[in-house]
Amino acid sequence: MQLPAVPGAVGLSLAAFPVSYALNCGAALAHPVAIAMMGVLVLLILFCMAYLLGEWSQSQDPLFYVFTVFSFTSVIDLIISLEEDGYISGFMEFYLKEGEPYLRTAYGIMICYWDGIVHYVLYLAMIMAITQRKNYRTLGLYWLGSLMMSIVVFLPGNMLGKYSSEIRPSFLLNVPYILIPIWAGMRLFSQPKSLPCCTAEKVVAEQQRSLYQRPLDLGLILFLMVAATFTFFRGLVVLDCPSDSCFNYIYQYEPYLRDPVAYPKVQMLVYMFYVLPFFCLGIYGLLRPGCTWLPDWALVFAGAIAQAQFSHVGSSLHHHTPYPYRTPEEVWWVFLLTNVLYALGPHLLAYRCLHSPGFFQPAAPTGQDGIKKHQ
């Protein structure tokens, strides 16, 4: 008998509330090593329950189990963020004190909000797509970029910032968030693309249009050039560039970049060394026809930048950030407008690539009736 998987996944994830409350009541005096072992035990039990749920729903996709377990941890992260902001209490105090105290920072709270809301919705959507035998590659690539960005900033920030001396055994519970997304990403990239099918004539006509006949592409190229310049500039700022413009920017517009927690510095360096090259490659892909890789990577980087900008902007304004490092109220609108546009541009690029993919598909003989979806 096939049971509905989404209600089962929702029920399993909402079990995070009683589980965290029970552990909080029973582990007030627990040692950090014991807390880490409890975390491992909970994860093992979750995987067993997800396996049973997958068997009942007759799911053949191994990512079903990953998304089901991660939906539970997303609710745990939402509980952490709500508790730290004072909306609830008595659920995760023991874990935040003896397990991962850096989650009490503004950045830790913001990534928990993102994981508990955005990732949770993505998990449920992908679970539903799996059970209905639908393609979820687009959602999966967006999730992959978002999750990987949070990990590559969060983990180095913990080891390099002021909380480096408070790393406990529970820090190792983040290892699955490194290994599993790599494996999941390989599976997602190997799935067939779900792009609109274009005739060979349409592909040829699209690829023969000059840049001036593609105003959206021209606008995207201009955005990518400005974004690349801004990315390089903020990278210089966190590298302590002695120029007056960098000094004025870090003190007047984004003092959060000086916060000793190190997350903003790591974020700007990740932007500089990974996102900046992608912006340059995006310009190349919009100029040269047939760059089949651009739609996929535009999705990945759209998810990554969305997560990064939400966490960075939220942390810059959050009350857990010490007052000297918060964005001054008189520049809020400039700060918000700049960072929202920075996050919006990659999404427009991803939308352009997915909505009208003919320019990025390999050229086909004109006489051919149609071209197959690129695998």
Side-chain angles (χ1 to χ4, degrees):
M1 177 180 178
Q2 183 174 355
L3 298 179
V6 175
V10 172
L12 182 61
S13 62
L14 293 181
F17 282 92
V19 169
S20 60
Y21 184 80
L23 291 177
N24 185 67
C25 294
L29 302 176
H31 190 273
V33 175
I35 292 177
M37 295 303 296
M38 283 192 295
V40 173
L41 180 60
V42 169
L43 286 177
L44 291 176
I45 294 174
L46 282 173
F47 271 107
C48 293
M49 296 180 69
Y51 176 79
L52 293 176
L53 182 61
E55 289 294 313
W56 290 336
S57 62
Q58 300 180 6
S59 174
Q60 303 297 322
D61 192 332
L63 287 180
F64 172 88
Y65 311 110
V66 173
F67 298 148
T68 301
V69 173
F70 278 10
S71 67
F72 177 92
T73 59
S74 289
V75 176
I76 290 290
D77 284 343
L78 183 60
I79 293 172
I80 290 174
S81 56
L82 292 175
E83 184 161 338
E84 282 303 301
D85 275 343
Y87 296 109
I88 59 177
S89 63
F91 288 91
M92 296 297 296
E93 182 180 355
F94 78 96
Y95 186 78
L96 293 173
K97 183 179 179 180
E98 300 295 340
E100 298 189 78
Y102 35 79
L103 288 175
R104 286 180 160 173
T105 62
Y107 184 83
I109 294 171
M110 287 297 107
I111 65 171
C112 285
Y113 271 124
W114 184 268
D115 189 45
I117 299 174
V118 178
H119 286 170
Y120 184 69
V121 172
L122 289 174
Y123 292 140
L124 295 184
M126 290 187 287
I127 289 172
M128 180 180 294
I130 290 173
T131 56
Q132 295 178 355
R133 305 295 191 269
K134 294 182 179 179
N135 190 297
Y136 60 93
R137 191 175 188 272
T138 298
L139 291 175
L141 291 178
Y142 190 88
W143 161 80
L144 178 67
S146 175
L147 185 62
M148 291 303 297
M149 176 62 82
S150 65
I151 290 299
V152 300
V153 174
F154 180 63
L155 297 187
N158 295 335
M159 294 184 287
L160 299 174
K162 69 177 184 179
Y163 284 91
S164 59
S165 60
E166 298 191 40
I167 292 180
R168 315 285 169 76
S170 297
F171 181 78
L172 297 177
L173 294 175
N174 293 292
V175 172
Y177 284 93
I178 302 174
L179 303 179
I180 293 179
I182 295 175
W183 167 74
M186 295 172 62
R187 291 192 61 89
L188 289 168
F189 274 102
S190 65
Q191 291 182 5
K193 297 182 180 180
S194 57
L195 296 176
C197 188
C198 302
T199 63
E201 289 80 4
K202 186 176 181 180
V203 171
V204 172
E206 182 72 18
Q207 295 182 353
Q208 287 179 346
R209 295 169 62 193
S210 66
L211 182 60
Y212 299 105
Q213 295 174 311
R214 295 181 282 124
L216 177 58
D217 290 358
L218 179 60
L220 287 171
I221 289 174
L222 293 176
F223 163 80
L224 291 173
M225 293 174 63
V226 174
T229 304
F230 185 56
T231 301
F232 183 71
F233 172 73
R234 289 206 291 188
L236 293 179
V237 168
V238 299
L239 290 174
D240 297 327
C241 175
S243 70
D244 291 340
S245 58
C246 292
F247 180 85
N248 293 333
Y249 183 82
I250 199 171
Y251 278 92
Q252 296 180 12
Y253 293 94
E254 289 201 56
Y256 178 61
L257 297 178
R258 299 185 294 114
D259 195 325
V261 294
Y263 302 120
K265 292 183 179 180
V266 174
Q267 183 67 78
M268 295 305 118
L269 292 178
V270 169
Y271 276 163
M272 189 176 187
F273 292 112
Y274 294 95
V275 176
L276 176 58
F278 170 74
F279 285 158
C280 298
L281 290 173
I283 295 173
Y284 173 82
L286 290 170
L287 291 173
R288 185 177 181 84
C291 293
T292 58
W293 46 267
L294 184 57
D296 286 347
W297 286 104
L299 266 175
V300 172
F301 276 89
I305 294 173
Q307 188 281 331
Q309 286 300 100
F310 174 84
S311 302
H312 177 69
V313 172
S315 301
S316 300
L317 305 176
H318 199 273
H319 63 88
H320 276 225
T321 298
Y323 182 79
Y325 303 123
R326 289 184 219 162
T327 301
E329 292 186 12
E330 57 269 18
V331 298
W332 270 13
W333 288 111
V334 176
F335 170 76
L336 289 173
L337 181 62
T338 303
N339 283 278
V340 168
L341 290 176
Y342 189 88
L344 181 62
H347 288 77
L348 294 177
L349 175 62
Y351 175 79
R352 186 266 179 268
C353 294
L354 297 176
H355 181 69
S356 182
F359 185 80
F360 309 103
Q361 295 187 4
T366 308
Q368 187 174 326
D369 290 333
I371 61 175
K372 297 180 179 180
K373 295 178 182 178
H374 182 62
Q375 302 297 320

